Amino acid sequence: MANTRRKNRIVAALLFTVAGGMVGMAFAAVPLYQWFCQITGFAGTTNVARAPAAAVRPSTKTITVRFDANVDRDLPWRFQPEQSEITVHASEPTLAFYKAANGSDRAITGTATFNVSPHKAGVYFSKIDCFCFTEQRLAAGEEAEMTVQFFVDPGIFEDPNTKELTAITLSYTFFRVPGSDGKNAVQSAAPRPRRPIKG
Amino acid sequence: MADHAAADGDHGHDHHPTGWRRWVYSTNHKDIGTMYMVLSMFAALVGGSMSMLIRLELMNPGIQYFADFQFYNVLVTGHGFIMVFFVVMPALIGGFGNWFVPLMIGAPDMAFPRMNNVSFWLVAAAFVMLMVSAFTQGGPGTGWTVYPPLSNATYHPGAAVDIGILSLHLAGVSSILGAINFIVTIFNMRAPGLTVHRMPLFCWSILVTSFLLLLAIPVLAGGLTMLLTDRNFGTTFFEASGGGDPVLWQHLFWFFGHPEVYIIIIPAFGIISQVVSTFARKPIFGYLGMAYAMVFIGFVGFVVWAHHMYTAGLDADTRAYFVAATLVIAVPTGIKIFSWLATMWGGSIDFHAPMMFACGFIFLFVVGGVTGVALANSGLDLAWHDTYFVVAHFHYVMAIAAVFGMFAGFYYWIGKMSGRMYPSVLAKIHFWAFFVGVNLVFFPQHFLGIAGMPRRIPDYPDAYAGWNYVSSVGTFITSASALLFFFIVWRTLTAGSKAEDNPWGEGAKTLEWSVPSPAPFHTHEDLPDLTGKQPAE
C-alpha cells in the first residue's frame, strides 16, 4: 500500500515535470521560431552578417534590390527610401539610405521591422548593419537619415529555387513605440481623422 | 482503514459522508464522476441554448434578434467554449472516465482522490468565470480561437477577454491534474494480473487522452499567458510593432487545438469499443490494433496543427508537409472503423439503445471524417477555410459523433451508475429524433460552405436562405429530442426498473459488470485477482 503510494507520487512528480516542460516549450517557441527563421530564411527572414571575407571578389552577376518603406497608422511620420533601387553584384557590400521625418508637434520614438520579398530570397540577403529594432527618437519636425549596409550572397545564383530572380525587395515598416510620446496605451480602434503631414 | 477492509470485501464501509460535505469534499471517484455528468448536462442546456439563439437569427436573412453584433459574437464564442470544455470533456473524461476506469481495472479509487475533487471544482469555477466574462464589458466576441489582434487590448478593451483567459486557465489546470491522476492510476493501480495489454479499450482511450491533455494544455496555458501580458502588461508577443507576430498565437493555439479535438473523440472511441463488443457478443476485432491506433492518432495529432492555418501565409512547402501528415491520420482511424465493423460481422446483435447510438457513431463519424480528409488538402481549404463547410465538418465529428458516444455511454452504463434502467422505447425514440435533428442541422451546412457562406456571421446574402432555413428547422427537432432526453433521465432515476448487476448478458465482460448495480460507494476494496483470466477488453 505504502509502496503504491510512493510509486504514485514518483510518477505524478514526473508527469508534473512534463507538463511544466511543455509550458516552457510554449515560451521557448518565441526564440525557437526566431532561430528557425534565421537559420532557414523562412518567410523572408534575412541574415545578419559581418562583411564577407576580403578574398571573395564581387562576382559579375548582378541583381536589383528595391527599397520599400511603410509607416503604421499610429505613427505620423513620413518615411521613404532615398533610392528606389540599386543594382548590386553578389558579395558586394552596399549602402542604402532611408529618410524619416516627424511631421507631428511632439517627439515620438519609433522602431522598424523589415522583411524581404520574395521570401525565398531571405536567406541570401545579409544585412551587415541597419536601423531595424533600434529605437529612433525624432523631435517634433526633426528629420533623420538611416542607413542599411548589406550584401547579396552569391549562392542566390546557384540555388535552383532562386536563380531566376532578377529583383529582391527590402521592406521596412516603422511603428510607434507605445509610451514614448506620453500616450501609454496602444491607440484604441476608433476611427480618427487623418492629418496631412507638412514638409 | 486496513483493519476493516479485509473482512468485508466489496461492501466494506457502510458509513460514508452525507449531506453537502459528501459532494463538496468528495474523494470518491463515483460521486465525482456523477458531479461531472450533472455539470455537463447543465452546461449542455446553456451551450445548446446559445446555439439555438444563433440558429434562430440565421433562420432567415436579415437581422431579427441580434442587432448587437458583439453580443452575437459572444454567443458564438460561448457556445464553442461551453460545448468543448464544459459539456463533452466533463462527460467523457470527468464523468465516464472517473466512474469506470477504476472499476474496470480493479482499483478501489483513483490514485489521488482529493486532487480528483480539485479537478472537478476547478471546472465548475471555470464555467462560472466563462459566464461572468460573457457579461463583462461587452463580453469576449473572439470565437473560441481567440485570435489576436481581435483579442488584444486594442480591439477588446475591458476585462471580458481577461476573465475568459482566467476561465481557460482554471479549466486547463483541472484537465492537467485529471490527466496526471488517470495516468498514475492506470499505470500503477491495475489489479494483479491485469497487464496494460489486457485492460479494456475504454481504459486505453482514457490513457491516450490523458497524455494528450498533459502535453497540449500547457502550451495553451503558455499562449494564454502571453495574450494576457500583451493585453495588460505591455508585452508584444503577438504585435508586429514590438517585433511579435499574431501568427505565433495561431501556432501555439492550434498546437493545443488539434490534439484537443482528439482529446474529445478518443474517449468516445473507447466507449464505442465497449458497447460494440458487448452487443455483438464478441471481443473487439484486433484489440492491439485498436489500442495502438489510438496511440498513433494521438501521436500524429501533435504534428498536424498547421492544417488550421493554411490561409495564414505559410510557405507552400510547409503547407505540403501538413497536408501529408494530416492525411496520414486517416489510416489508423480507418483501422478502427473497420475493426468495429469486423467485430459486428458474424456477431449476434441486439439493437438496444446503446448499440443504436454506437452504430450511428460509426456511420456519422465516417461522414464527418471524410469531410476532414477533404479539408486536409490545402488547395481545397483555401476555398473552404472559415466557411460553413468547416462548421459542418467539426459539428459532424464533435456535436454528432462525440455526442452519440456520450449517449451510448449513458444508456450502456446508467444501470450501473444509478441502479435503474432507462425506458427502452423512449430511448429509441430519442435516438431517432436526435439522429434526424442533427443531420438536418448540419448536413445542409456542407452545401452552404461550398457555396461560399462564411462562418461566424449573423446575416448572409439571400442566396443562402434556403439551406439556412432547413438547418434551423433541424435545431427545433434536436431541441425537442434533447428535452426528451432530459425526461428520460428523470424517468430513469425516479421510476426506472431495477437494473441487474449485468443487464447486458454474455457480451459484457469487463469488471464493472461484476459489481452490484448501483455500484456501491466503495468497490474493489479487496483487489480482484485477474492473473490467467481471459482479456477483459
Side-chain angles (χ1 to χ4, degrees):
Chain A
M1 183 56 156
N3 188 37
T4 311
R5 274 230 268 274
R6 200 177 140 270
K7 278 198 299 172
N8 288 355
R9 294 225 171 108
I10 293 174
V11 180
L14 195 70
L15 296 173
F16 267 110
T17 314
V18 171
M22 290 308 287
V23 179
M25 290 292 291
F27 282 96
V30 180
L32 278 177
Y33 270 105
Q34 177 73 5
W35 169 83
F36 176 76
C37 287
Q38 200 66 46
I39 295 290
T40 60
F42 244 64
T45 310
T46 57
N47 267 323
V48 177
R50 277 176 261 123
V56 177
R57 281 181 297 111
S59 82
T60 53
K61 291 210 183 109
T62 60
I63 192 164
T64 304
V65 178
R66 299 200 184 111
F67 300 92
D68 173 62
N70 306 280
V71 284
D72 186 45
R73 66 191 204 122
D74 277 352
L75 188 65
W77 287 8
R78 191 180 59 213
F79 176 55
Q80 55 207 42
E82 299 216 335
Q83 65 289 303
S84 59
E85 59 184 52
I86 301 179
T87 303
V88 303
H89 297 278
S91 308
E92 180 188 2
T94 311
L95 212 53
F97 300 88
Y98 279 80
K99 181 142 72 177
N102 181 354
S104 76
D105 55 0
R106 58 192 190 287
I108 303 178
T109 308
T111 52
T113 63
F114 59 89
N115 205 348
V116 145
S117 187
H119 290 174
K120 59 189 178 180
V123 72
Y124 296 111
F125 192 95
S126 295
K127 284 193 278 87
I128 300 166
D129 190 34
C130 81
F131 55 91
C132 28
F133 291 121
T134 46
E135 295 191 353
Q136 310 284 333
R137 189 167 181 81
L138 292 182
E142 186 186 347
E143 279 184 9
E145 191 177 67
M146 299 160 202
T147 61
V148 184
Q149 195 181 23
F150 63 91
F151 66 90
V152 178
D153 191 292
I156 200 172
F157 299 118
E158 320 300 322
D159 186 340
N161 262 340
T162 55
K163 55 202 252 202
E164 92 285 2
L165 289 178
T166 54
I168 305 175
T169 307
L170 179 68
S171 173
Y172 279 87
T173 305
F174 249 106
F175 294 89
R176 184 177 65 91
V177 173
S180 63
D181 54 353
K183 295 192 181 171
N184 255 325
V186 182
Q187 297 273 6
S188 87
R192 297 157 314 161
R194 308 186 111 255
R195 280 171 310 155
I197 296 179
K198 300 185 197 50
Chain B
M1 276 276 260
D3 310 288
H4 327 288
D8 291 336
D10 271 341
H11 35 280
H13 310 235
D14 284 350
H15 47 275
H16 55 67
T18 50
W20 64 271
R21 286 188 188 81
R22 170 177 171 178
W23 303 100
V24 177
Y25 299 151
S26 177
T27 52
N28 180 277
H29 71 103
K30 304 182 189 75
D31 280 357
I32 292 172
T34 300
M35 288 197 284
Y36 269 107
M37 311 222 53
V38 170
L39 176 91
S40 165
M41 290 195 210
F42 179 71
L45 286 173
V46 178
S49 307
M50 290 179 174
S51 69
M52 279 293 312
L53 291 173
I54 294 168
R55 284 260 38 111
L56 215 50
E57 179 59 68
L58 291 173
M59 190 162 176
N60 294 111
I63 299 292
Q64 288 84 37
Y65 307 101
F66 296 109
D68 179 357
F69 294 152
Q70 173 68 13
F71 184 65
Y72 181 84
N73 286 345
V74 169
L75 284 178
V76 169
T77 308
H79 167 70
F81 276 130
I82 290 177
M83 293 313 210
V84 169
F85 288 99
F86 302 110
V87 178
V88 179
M89 285 172 75
L92 290 176
I93 306 169
F96 293 126
N98 267 311
W99 252 99
F100 292 102
V101 166
L103 278 177
M104 285 175 164
I105 63 174
D109 207 299
M110 297 284 284
F112 302 106
R114 203 174 306 280
M115 190 168 80
N116 204 10
N117 195 35
V118 168
S119 283
F120 170 74
W121 287 109
L122 281 173
V123 175
F127 183 58
V128 170
M129 291 312 291
L130 188 70
M131 299 313 295
V132 166
S133 87
F135 293 106
T136 302
Q137 292 171 308
T142 58
W144 90 294
T145 50
V146 204
Y147 281 10
L150 179 60
S151 58
N152 73 19
T154 313
Y155 297 100
H156 264 90
V161 172
D162 300 302
I163 296 181
I165 290 176
L166 174 64
S167 163
L168 289 175
H169 268 140
L170 293 176
V173 172
S174 160
S175 290
I176 293 174
L177 296 179
I180 292 177
N181 221 339
F182 278 117
I183 293 173
V184 175
T185 306
I186 291 174
F187 276 166
N188 284 1
M189 292 173 68
R190 278 167 286 114
L194 189 66
T195 60
V196 254
H197 287 123
R198 290 172 53 215
M199 71 178 180
L201 284 170
F202 178 66
C203 299
W204 269 103
S205 74
I206 295 292
L207 182 66
V208 171
T209 303
S210 298
F211 273 106
L212 297 187
L213 283 166
L214 189 75
L215 295 168
I217 300 243
V219 176
L220 175 71
L224 286 172
T225 308
M226 292 181 205
L227 183 64
L228 191 71
T229 57
D230 267 22
R231 286 176 51 83
N232 297 291
F233 300 112
T235 57
T236 51
F237 287 104
F238 308 124
E239 273 202 58
S241 63
D245 194 336
V247 174
L248 176 66
W249 166 268
Q250 295 188 34
H251 280 292
L252 293 175
F253 180 84
W254 287 115
F255 188 84
F256 148 78
H258 193 78
E260 170 64 22
V261 310
Y262 294 121
I263 287 165
I264 285 179
I265 201 66
I266 287 179
F269 286 163
I271 294 178
I272 299 303
S273 286
Q274 303 301 145
V275 170
V276 168
S277 88
T278 295
F279 291 97
R281 295 184 244 217
K282 287 170 72 200
I284 280 284
F285 180 93
Y287 168 91
L288 272 186
M290 288 297 249
Y292 284 98
M294 288 192 282
V295 171
F296 191 77
I297 290 170
F299 195 73
V300 180
F302 267 103
V303 294
V304 295
W305 74 91
H307 66 227
H308 300 271
M309 295 167 60
Y310 284 145
T311 60
L314 301 173
D315 204 64
D317 290 331
T318 309
R319 281 179 274 147
Y321 158 73
F322 281 105
V323 170
T326 306
L327 292 174
V328 164
I329 297 197
V331 176
T333 313
I335 288 178
K336 294 190 74 69
I337 301 286
F338 286 121
S339 295
W340 285 317
L341 296 179
T343 306
M344 291 193 270
W345 185 271
S348 167
I349 301 183
D350 285 324
F351 280 103
H352 293 291
M355 189 57 168
M356 293 170 75
F357 277 103
C359 293
F361 174 97
I362 293 169
F363 172 56
L364 295 167
F365 184 77
V366 170
V367 172
V370 296
T371 57
V373 171
L375 282 164
N377 294 282
S378 69
L380 286 177
D381 187 66
L382 280 187
W384 292 341
H385 178 74
D386 268 347
T387 66
Y388 260 82
F389 193 82
V390 179
V391 176
H393 159 68
F394 66 69
H395 280 98
Y396 256 86
V397 286
M398 292 200 291
I400 303 186
V403 173
F404 270 55
M406 284 156 60
F407 285 136
F410 172 84
Y411 288 117
Y412 186 55
W413 277 317
I414 188 64
K416 181 61 54 187
M417 293 193 279
S418 68
R420 290 176 181 271
M421 287 301 277
Y422 59 87
S424 56
V425 174
L426 284 182
K428 295 191 176 182
I429 297 175
H430 169 227
F431 169 81
W432 286 112
F434 187 70
F435 182 90
V436 168
V438 290
N439 277 285
L440 212 53
V441 175
F442 296 113
F443 203 78
Q445 294 185 0
H446 294 107
F447 307 139
L448 290 171
I450 296 184
M453 178 179 171
R455 58 186 286 204
R456 293 172 165 163
I457 51 175
D459 190 16
Y460 47 79
D462 287 352
Y464 297 127
W467 292 122
N468 269 297
Y469 188 82
V470 173
S471 177
S472 293
V473 166
T475 56
F476 298 135
I477 299 177
T478 309
S479 307
S481 81
L483 288 177
L484 175 60
F485 175 70
F486 281 104
F487 176 75
I488 289 173
V489 175
W490 174 80
R491 188 90 181 132
T492 302
L493 296 177
T494 55
S497 58
K498 190 170 177 322
E500 306 142 43
D501 295 358
N502 179 1
W504 305 126
E506 55 180 301
K509 294 200 164 75
T510 40
L511 264 184
E512 76 270 30
W513 306 112
S514 68
V515 306
S517 298
F521 194 76
H522 291 302
T523 42
H524 298 318
E525 298 219 282
D526 292 328
L527 302 183
D529 185 357
L530 300 168
T531 43
K533 295 246 175 65
Q534 286 295 330
E537 285 172 33

